[in-house]
Amino acid sequence: MQGTPHTVSDVMSTTVIAIGQEAPFREIVRIMQQWKVSALPVLAGEGRVTGVVSEADLLPKEEFRDSDPSRKEQMSRLADLAKAGAVTAGELMTSPAVCVDPGASLARAAQVMARKHVKRLPVTDAGGLLVGIVSRSDLLKVFLRPDEEIEEEVRRAVGGLFAGTEPAVGVQVREGVVTLAGGIHDRSLVPVAARLARAVEGVVDVECTFTSPAPGQHLA
């Protein structure tokens, strides 16, 4: 995984378990159990994503199985009650589906997951056709990048900031934690350098141990 920024297409799974709109309730449960997934894209036509069925969409069937909700509860949970009576994927699915473009950044995919409270995102092309799926665990793959690879990229990222104006800046990476060290004259560059290093994918944290150079120290 060389260079940044990485995109969803770099980490997504292209083998996707999906279902049609007419898939019955029990088949949905069986597929989720068999493939150990918590959500399934629902497709129509040639593979266009029309919605997603998740475990949360299935649970109202059990929740309201032997209950008699009050009128107030009925009014406040109309969607859940409708799902409790649903029998096919088309009736159960949440639509429109929350999807992401294969060219989206990993940060963008993470933002969508967090804001929409989902664990997996169908990846669709410009025509809405399913091309893959990306999960939380997929987004975490960047943290498995080798320290040496991260260090090289951090050096490139911060090198231009100090070139010709400051002493050489040292960069070390251990377990994803970047340490920037050296003597610099312009302390205002410290937060800038930290921000540039932190933007490199796979960086866990950035520690700055810059000092002021000794008087008369030669600039690199």
Side-chain angles (χ1 to χ4, degrees):
M1 192 177 286
Q2 299 283 338
T4 58
H6 299 112
T7 64
V8 167
S9 63
D10 293 324
V11 300
M12 71 182 187
S13 299
T14 54
T15 300
V16 187
I17 308 304
I19 53 177
Q21 291 179 314
E22 300 306 315
F25 189 98
R26 290 183 65 178
E27 180 183 347
I28 298 169
V29 176
R30 280 196 298 268
I31 293 174
M32 285 184 174
Q33 292 289 319
Q34 178 183 352
W35 294 97
K36 295 180 173 57
V37 295
S38 59
L40 295 167
V42 182
L43 307 183
E46 297 300 316
R48 184 172 53 86
V49 179
T50 59
V52 173
V53 171
S54 69
E55 291 173 335
D57 295 316
L58 303 180
L59 283 177
K61 180 78 70 178
E62 179 64 17
E63 180 184 357
F64 293 105
R65 180 170 56 84
D66 58 356
S67 66
D68 185 18
S70 65
R71 181 171 179 78
K72 181 179 179 180
E73 188 174 19
Q74 290 180 34
M75 295 302 295
S76 63
R77 301 191 61 188
L78 288 174
D80 286 339
L81 285 168
K83 291 181 186 295
V87 296
T88 67
E91 297 168 339
L92 288 158
M93 69 183 184
T94 298
S95 182
V98 179
C99 300
V100 68
D101 186 273
S105 68
L106 303 189
R108 172 58 180 164
Q111 290 170 357
V112 173
M113 286 185 185
R115 292 172 182 172
K116 298 297 184 178
H117 306 289
V118 296
K119 299 177 181 178
R120 296 156 63 87
L121 290 171
V123 184
T124 55
D125 63 16
L129 299 181
L130 183 66
V131 296
I133 197 157
V134 65
S135 67
R136 291 174 177 176
S137 62
D138 291 327
L139 299 183
L140 294 175
K141 290 176 182 176
V142 292
F143 293 105
L144 299 178
R145 296 180 70 193
D147 286 343
E148 297 78 11
E149 187 177 305
I150 295 173
E151 183 174 312
E152 179 183 350
E153 192 166 341
V154 172
R155 288 184 189 279
R156 292 199 303 268
V158 303
L161 185 65
F162 299 102
T165 61
E166 297 287 351
V169 171
V171 179
Q172 289 186 329
V173 181
R174 182 167 183 174
E175 292 297 310
V177 177
V178 177
T179 300
L180 301 177
I184 63 173
H185 294 286
D186 188 352
R187 304 294 297 183
S188 67
L189 295 178
V190 174
V192 181
R195 185 165 62 251
L196 289 172
R198 191 169 284 111
V200 173
E201 288 169 346
V203 170
V204 175
D205 196 13
V206 178
E207 298 176 354
C208 296
T209 59
F210 292 119
T211 60
S212 298
Q217 181 175 346
H218 176 68
L219 296 183

